[in-house]
């Protein structure tokens, strides 16, 4: 049987998504202790992480398996991703050899690499992740790339389902937030795709110049067309909040100037008002407040909202364990 990977939210069909969420909900109540006994997951973190790293380690422990965590930039050789490269530069090892070797040791590979050197047309392709997926013979899981963060989005929609029961027709506002640094749109892309797949009415609210990837928005519109959902884009945060059931706050970088931190910082100078506060939340239908974390307090969202009764940010983080158990069980079949 051909191995499955999870590289993007779009890799999951509607029925698969429902099945995974049902399995995660069942696994939340109990620890199926020996399902992955003797199995190993290698986690390669080219970038920092708190939640992804710890939640995958805990998920493997709860399934009876084992994790190996590697910081490739300190612990592995520099990798060459290009086919037929003449390797006379800095790279000591081809990604094909690393992927094939790791596949002989472990049962799953997880990779986090958020490419930020620009331009977006190159970084959006998640070349290293895709090279690993191409050459590994074991399932490869995206732990967050420039383009996608599917594990986060699975935890997000599970959290929404637990709180709202029915998601079809519910209004989700995906609200751009200010941030002093350039952040990947991966989490936003992934939750957009899954929410559209589940028939939600998604409003993307962002300032001009901070458009999400056109192809991802197009896929979400197609998915919404199939599920009875909607996807619309507005540039007015105040208006977007009307009638919202969920406010999902996240910063993402300017894709047109991706990799150019100075240019992006200039664009953001006048955007301090893109911060979720009590007044904005009061326009909603007593909406849940969500954020994938880490969050810049009182820049993206006020303490009052983040620590308030409608904030479910720690439930999102906790649900990472359960959706990842379901994912590992499914990929490991
Ligand atoms: N949300 C998320 O992926 O958190 P980390 O960057 O801490 O893994």
């Amino acid at each position: 049987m051909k191995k499955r990977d999870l590289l993007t939210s779009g890799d999951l069909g509607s029925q698969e998504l429902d099945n995974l969420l049902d399995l995660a909900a069942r696994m939340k109540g109990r620890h199926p202790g020996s399902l992955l006994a003797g199995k190993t997951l290698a986690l390669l973190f080219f970038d920092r992480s708190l939640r992804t790293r710890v939640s995958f380690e805990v998920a493997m422990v709860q399934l009876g398996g084992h994790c190996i965590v590697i910081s490739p930039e300190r612990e592995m050789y520099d990798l060459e991703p290009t086919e037929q490269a003449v390797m006379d530069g800095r790279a000591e090892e081809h990604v094909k050899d690393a992927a094939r070797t790791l596949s002989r040791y472990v049962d799953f590979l997880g990779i986090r690499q958020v490419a930020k050197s620009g331009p977006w047309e190159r970084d959006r392709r998640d070349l290293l992740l895709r090279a690993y997926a191409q050459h590994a013979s074991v399932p490869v899981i995206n732990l967050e790339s420039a383009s996608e963060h599917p594990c986060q989005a699975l935890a997000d929609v599970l959290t929404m389902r637990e709180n709202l029961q029915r998601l079809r027709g519910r209004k989700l506002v995906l609200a751009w937030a200010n941030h002093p640094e350039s952040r990947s749109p991966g989490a936003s892309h992934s939750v957009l795709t899954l929410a559209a797949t589940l028939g939600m009415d998604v409003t993307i609210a962002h300032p001009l110049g901070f458009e999400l990837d056109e192809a991802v928005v197009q896929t979400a519109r197609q998915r919404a067309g199939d599920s009875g959902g909607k996807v619309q884009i507005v540039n007015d945060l105040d208006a977007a909040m009307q009638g919202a059931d969920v406010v999902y706050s996240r910063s993402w970088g300017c894709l047109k100037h991706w990799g150019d931190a100075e240019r992006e910082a200039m664009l953001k100078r006048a955007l301090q008002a893109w911060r979720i506060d009590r007044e904005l939340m009061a326009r909603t239908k007593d909406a849940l407040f969500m954020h994938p974390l880490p969050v810049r307090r009182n820049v993206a969202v006020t303490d009052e909202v983040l620590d308030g009764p409608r904030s479910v940010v720690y439930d999102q983080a906790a649900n990472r364990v359960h959706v990842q158990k379901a994912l590992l069980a499914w990929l490991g079949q």
Side-chain angles (χ1 to χ4, degrees):
M1 204 165 68
K2 193 174 177 301
K3 64 135 179 166
R4 286 288 303 258
D5 303 310
L6 182 68
L7 306 185
T8 74
S9 286
D11 291 348
L12 296 169
S14 163
Q15 191 57 55
E16 284 171 336
L17 174 58
D18 276 339
N19 292 346
L20 258 182
L21 293 175
D22 288 345
L23 182 59
R26 288 200 300 279
M27 285 184 157
K28 194 167 174 171
R30 64 191 171 85
H31 298 175
S34 57
L35 203 64
L36 295 185
K39 305 271 186 189
T40 303
L41 162 65
L43 298 170
L44 274 56
F45 282 99
F46 292 83
D47 295 293
R48 293 168 300 172
S49 165
L50 169 64
R51 282 143 287 271
T52 305
R53 174 182 170 159
V54 177
S55 61
F56 263 107
E57 288 203 61
V58 171
M60 277 306 269
V61 167
Q62 291 187 5
L63 293 170
H66 181 73
C67 258
I68 297 171
V69 182
I70 304 168
S71 299
E73 284 178 342
R74 272 193 293 118
E75 296 167 353
M76 282 173 57
Y77 300 104
D78 287 339
L79 293 178
E80 171 60 59
T82 315
E83 286 295 329
Q84 295 175 351
V86 177
M87 291 176 54
D88 57 359
R90 199 178 133 161
E92 283 283 346
E93 181 156 37
H94 200 282
V95 65
K96 141 182 339 188
D97 300 316
R100 288 174 181 169
T101 303
L102 282 166
S103 298
R104 299 292 182 99
Y105 297 139
V106 304
D107 304 280
F108 309 92
L109 271 176
I111 295 162
R112 168 172 289 195
Q113 194 213 28
V114 182
K116 274 192 187 158
S117 49
W120 178 247
E121 276 317 306
R122 186 184 61 216
D123 287 348
R124 72 184 295 282
R125 289 155 61 202
D126 296 335
L127 290 174
L128 186 82
L129 174 75
R130 289 191 180 274
Y132 264 103
Q134 183 189 344
H135 297 296
S137 56
V138 297
V140 172
I141 302 170
N142 182 354
L143 307 180
E144 190 181 12
S145 62
S147 245
E148 290 272 345
H149 197 351
C151 297
Q152 179 63 50
L154 282 168
D156 297 336
V157 292
L158 178 65
T159 308
M160 289 183 217
R161 207 174 75 160
E162 287 172 343
N163 282 276
L164 301 173
Q165 285 78 47
R166 169 185 61 81
L167 294 188
R168 196 170 300 277
R170 299 282 199 174
K171 180 171 175 180
L172 166 69
V173 177
L174 180 52
W176 183 88
N178 209 345
H179 194 289
E181 287 166 21
S182 185
R183 304 288 291 163
S184 130
S188 306
H189 284 165
S190 293
V191 76
L192 166 63
T193 304
L194 293 196
T197 306
L198 292 167
M200 295 186 81
D201 173 357
V202 186
T203 297
I204 306 165
H206 63 73
L208 282 171
F210 287 86
E211 291 72 25
L212 288 174
D213 186 280
E214 182 61 38
V216 175
V217 174
Q218 191 55 34
T219 300
R221 286 196 202 279
Q222 278 161 8
R223 294 250 173 154
D226 294 340
S227 65
K230 277 190 224 155
V231 175
Q232 63 163 334
I233 301 171
V234 299
N235 302 123
D236 180 341
L237 182 58
D238 218 39
M241 302 293 269
Q242 300 285 347
D245 296 291
V246 181
V247 174
Y248 191 108
S249 162
R250 175 71 175 173
S251 184
W252 60 84
C254 169
L255 304 187
K256 202 167 149 200
H257 302 300
W258 184 251
D260 184 345
E262 268 178 43
R263 191 95 177 248
E264 185 174 313
M266 270 169 55
L267 285 175
K268 286 192 208 164
R269 260 191 219 148
L271 298 176
Q272 281 88 349
W274 286 78
R275 178 188 75 157
I276 306 297
D277 60 14
R278 179 158 52 104
E279 288 71 34
L280 284 167
M281 290 301 283
R283 297 182 182 280
T284 69
K285 257 184 7 206
D286 196 21
L288 298 174
F289 175 79
M290 302 184 74
H291 191 290
L293 305 179
V295 63
R296 295 278 185 149
R297 283 176 173 261
N298 303 309
V299 176
V301 54
T302 59
D303 283 339
E304 189 180 16
V305 172
L306 192 61
D307 297 328
R310 299 301 286 161
S311 170
V312 291
V313 297
Y314 307 121
D315 298 327
Q316 290 171 257
N319 276 335
R320 292 288 302 271
V321 173
H322 309 297
V323 294
Q324 289 158 195
K325 280 188 295 190
L327 177 65
L328 290 162
W330 177 59
L331 293 176
Q333 294 177 77

